[in-house]
Amino acid sequence: LRISTKHQDIGRQRVNVLRAYPEAIIYEEKHSGGDFNGCVELDKLLKVVEATDTIVFDSVSRFSRDNVTGPVEYKKLFKADVNLIFLNEPYINTDNYRKALDVAIPRTGTFVDPILAGVEEALLQLAEKQVQDAFDQANKELRDIRSRTSQALQRKIAENKLLPPDQQKRIGTQKGDTFTTQKEI
């Protein structure tokens, strides 16, 4: 389970996962999904996960919103025979991906065989595209969140400037500010 900020509630994800998998061992994390690196709890999980184990995510965006690293990590786990389940995007569960790879259309020994081979290849490419599309959508959500946050901040700054000087508040960080991040700690 992953949330990006301490202001978010992880409970919905917990309920969804435990409803589907009551015996699940829960790993919880507060970390931005925009960067796959630095997910401490996910790293711990990935160090102990073994072939045939199953990892369940409420949605692909809880795994990663990084549309470059996410698919790479997905394929690494897939090749390690780890089952990935995404409750909100079941079409990219590794079992479905495996089925697409295992499609073996019986050959006829005729001129149709190259067409059948092409169909198999098309099914594989479709499965890979679905995985990539899911991570692209998660990445789009991240960009949308960042854009809305930036717009809200700009609006607050503009509204603040309209106030009399004695009522204006400091908004955001100022040049020269220093602070220690939670990640740094």
Side-chain angles (χ1 to χ4, degrees), residues 38-125:
C39 292
V40 175
E41 293 302 313
L42 181 59
D43 288 344
K44 285 180 190 176
L45 173 60
L46 295 178
K47 285 179 183 163
V48 299
V49 73
E50 298 175 351
T52 74
D53 284 350
T54 298
I55 304 175
V56 180
F57 297 92
D58 184 54
S59 102
V60 69
S61 67
R62 303 301 85 203
F63 177 56
S64 176
R65 283 192 163 143
D66 181 337
N67 63 342
V68 175
T69 307
V72 169
E73 294 300 321
Y74 175 101
K75 286 180 183 177
K76 268 192 215 173
L77 291 166
F78 173 82
K79 287 178 181 177
D81 203 25
V82 174
N83 299 312
L84 298 177
I85 294 177
F86 302 93
L87 298 176
N88 291 323
E89 299 91 5
Y91 58 92
I92 65 162
N93 291 351
T94 50
D95 283 348
N96 292 330
Y97 191 63
R98 251 180 219 94
K99 287 175 190 170
L101 291 177
D102 288 341
V103 170
I105 301 172
R107 299 301 189 258
T108 62
T110 67
F111 69 93
V112 178
D113 285 352
I115 296 169
L116 297 176
V119 169
E120 285 178 1
E121 179 61 27
L123 290 172
L124 174 59
Q125 288 181 18

Side-chain angles (χ1 to χ4, degrees), residues 9-22:
D9 181 14
I10 206 162
R12 177 192 58 77
Q13 292 177 55
R14 187 180 306 106
V15 166
N16 290 345
V17 169
L18 291 175
R19 184 180 301 135
Y21 297 88

Side-chain angles (χ1 to χ4, degrees), residues 126-137:
L126 176 62
E128 287 181 1
K129 182 172 180 352
Q130 287 176 325
V131 170
Q132 184 64 52
D133 287 351
F135 283 100
D136 287 345
Q137 179 59 36

